Amino acid sequence: MRDPERIERVRRALEEAQLDALVCALPLHVLLLSGYWPVVGLSLAIATREGRIVLLVPEDEQELVTLGWADEVHTFRPASLSELRSLADVVRQQWQHLAGHLGLAHARLGFELGPVSEPASYVAVNLYGSSLEHILRSGAPLSQLSQADEMLATLAASKTRVEIDRIRHACRLAATAFESGFAHIKPGLVEAEAASLFRRPLSANGSNRGASRADGFVFCMSGENSALASGAYARSRNRSIRKGDLVLVHCNSYVDGYWTDITRTYCAGEMDQKKTEIYDAVMHARVAALSAIKPGVEARQVDQAARNVLKARGYEKEFKHSTGHGVGFAAISPNARPQIHPKSHARLLAGMIFNVEPAVYIDNYGGVRHCDMVAVTDSGYELLTPFHNDTEKLVFS
């Protein structure tokens, strides 16, 4: 599934930066350059100014590489029983060969330095970190290295048509999981049990929907715990869901390396007046934010649209984070572009994908967050998560 649009964007970026090639090892950047999402973080992707894409991957991952669009794939064996060598030594030798093969021994090379938020592609993932620079320098000592993190962040911010379609796929898979989980959630379940109801379909249905690798993470936070969802991470606890609880379900699903960031907050039983007012405020803030989205708009204007509604409803202090951030190559990075933040003057561009997550968190009571994903179009936006968006569809018993 070749992506000429992505290849050309990378080629133009290299030309503008006066670089001959870009070399990346982080799985999200390998995916960006080649369409292949490495499993354990050992792979390198090389993109040249001529539009050539080359992958260096461990032998065990060769079967999966066909998902990408590399012009050449070179394999290596990270370890063997005949000798004891470090990964850096093995990759350095491979890179030295490739640099000569590709005419990059004297080239100007861009590489990643960080920091960056890397989604988990496996149980444990190798991160080369600063050793990548040493590998590149020792393998091609006459080359000139330049940090390319800004270039990579800019390239990742706007998705191509192929990438948007893959993210749509991940959102559809998440929608199936939410529908399935909602059908079975009930009072008496422990938060961790409820979360598993929503997570199970992510991997169970992935292969049936054209994905090679599909899964994700789901967390459930109920009652007073749902107010803690404003923090840096979500966590399912051993609390049992009770009648009358707010039940916040947060999902980060993936399809072949393309991620989602979605939240729905359900209510266990009929809503009282206070809950009705909170939901009404959050939903109106959501509509205001979505209505502000179009190319050329500053990201802060989208945040302000949601924030103004919540302020008018008396919940200014209870909306404790920004309205959103980039999603797709990253899952939950607040620094992924565009940052839908009160201080962000960055302008929205067609192809950008981000979440819109207005929320109200009341300590020792509960929280309501409604997190959608949207893609900026030429004239407005496309809602990628068109499910469970009506308050009456968020109630279970």
Side-chain angles (χ1 to χ4, degrees):
M1 199 165 82
R2 197 167 178 82
D3 190 349
E5 190 178 359
R6 173 55 66 196
I7 295 169
E8 177 59 18
R9 288 186 192 182
V10 173
R11 193 199 65 75
R12 286 202 309 266
L14 287 168
E15 192 172 71
E16 291 169 6
Q18 296 185 327
L19 294 173
D20 298 305
L22 190 56
V23 184
C24 292
L26 284 170
L28 75 95
H29 290 151
V30 175
L31 176 66
L32 173 73
L33 297 181
S34 71
Y36 169 62
W37 190 41
V39 179
V40 293
L42 303 182
S43 303
L44 296 185
I46 305 159
T48 72
R49 202 198 295 196
E50 293 73 38
R52 194 174 182 183
I53 308 298
V54 179
L55 282 172
L56 175 64
V57 302
E59 289 180 352
D60 288 349
E61 297 186 24
Q62 188 171 6
E63 178 186 353
L64 295 170
V65 174
T66 55
L67 295 173
W69 54 75
D71 299 296
E72 296 179 31
V73 176
H74 299 262
T75 62
F76 67 97
R77 186 173 297 175
S80 74
L81 294 176
S82 60
E83 57 182 340
L84 190 61
R85 299 177 64 192
S86 71
L87 173 65
D89 285 339
V90 174
V91 175
R92 183 183 299 111
Q93 183 179 28
Q94 295 290 327
W95 160 243
Q96 186 175 28
H97 166 73
L98 280 177
H101 169 66
L102 297 171
L104 299 176
H106 299 77
R108 294 161 295 178
L109 305 175
F111 73 104
E112 62 205 1
L113 187 61
V116 69
S117 176
E118 172 62 47
S121 55
Y122 193 62
V123 178
V125 183
N126 173 74
L127 301 176
Y128 285 97
S130 60
S131 70
L132 178 62
E133 181 176 1
H134 297 300
I135 289 170
L136 297 180
R137 287 193 187 280
S138 59
L142 299 180
S143 62
Q144 302 173 42
L145 299 186
S146 297
Q147 183 178 344
D149 296 275
E150 176 64 26
M151 175 195 296
L152 288 163
T154 300
L155 284 168
S158 293
K159 279 64 175 178
T160 66
R161 287 183 289 270
V162 168
E163 292 160 353
I164 293 172
D165 191 56
R166 299 303 288 166
I167 296 169
R168 283 195 194 101
H169 188 167
C171 289
R172 288 194 296 269
L173 185 62
T176 300
F178 272 94
E179 294 284 359
S180 177
F182 180 71
H184 295 93
I185 194 171
K186 60 185 178 181
L189 290 175
V190 171
E191 289 177 359
E193 292 174 328
S196 70
L197 294 175
F198 288 81
R199 181 177 182 179
R200 194 176 301 125
L202 295 178
S203 56
N205 292 330
S207 60
N208 297 329
R209 289 172 172 256
S212 175
R213 293 152 63 198
D215 206 336
F217 301 89
V218 177
F219 306 95
C220 174
M221 304 172 77
S222 65
E224 62 273 13
N225 288 345
S226 59
L228 304 176
S230 63
Y233 61 92
R235 179 162 68 93
S236 303
R237 295 166 172 81
N238 289 324
R239 181 187 184 279
S240 294
I241 296 172
R242 305 164 195 161
K243 194 79 170 176
D245 275 351
L246 294 170
V247 183
L248 187 150
V249 179
H250 173 78
C251 172
N252 296 111
S253 61
Y254 66 77
V255 167
D256 296 326
Y258 299 95
W259 288 81
T260 71
D261 192 350
I262 305 166
T263 304
R264 296 292 185 264
T265 305
Y266 302 103
C267 186
E270 188 175 347
M271 296 183 191
D272 59 22
Q273 183 176 348
K274 183 173 183 177
K275 291 184 178 68
T276 300
E277 290 175 354
I278 295 172
Y279 270 97
D280 190 61
V282 170
M283 290 305 192
H284 276 83
R286 168 186 180 267
V287 171
L290 293 176
S291 299
I293 297 171
K294 61 182 178 180
V297 168
E298 289 187 345
R300 66 186 179 94
Q301 293 176 261
V302 179
D303 179 274
Q304 199 61 53
R307 207 165 294 278
N308 285 344
V309 171
L310 293 174
K311 180 179 179 180
R313 302 294 183 98
Y315 296 116
E316 180 181 13
K317 293 182 179 179
E318 285 73 29
F319 186 23
K320 302 178 181 181
H321 52 64
S322 66
T323 299
H325 53 76
V327 187
F329 293 108
I332 54 173
S333 173
N335 297 317
R337 301 176 187 178
Q339 294 167 283
I340 313 302
H341 187 279
K343 302 298 183 182
S344 175
H345 292 276
R347 295 193 178 277
L348 301 184
L349 302 172
M352 285 182 167
I353 292 181
F354 55 90
N355 61 350
V356 174
E357 50 180 344
V360 169
Y361 307 101
I362 301 175
D363 294 341
N364 302 314
Y365 174 76
V368 174
R369 179 171 74 224
H370 198 89
C371 179
D372 283 305
M373 284 183 54
V374 298
V376 183
T377 66
D378 291 334
S379 58
Y381 70 93
E382 175 189 351
L383 180 65
L384 302 177
T385 49
F387 61 89
H388 293 182
N389 285 319
D390 297 322
T391 303
E392 58 268 23
K393 294 181 179 179
L394 297 172
V395 177
F396 67 92
S397 58

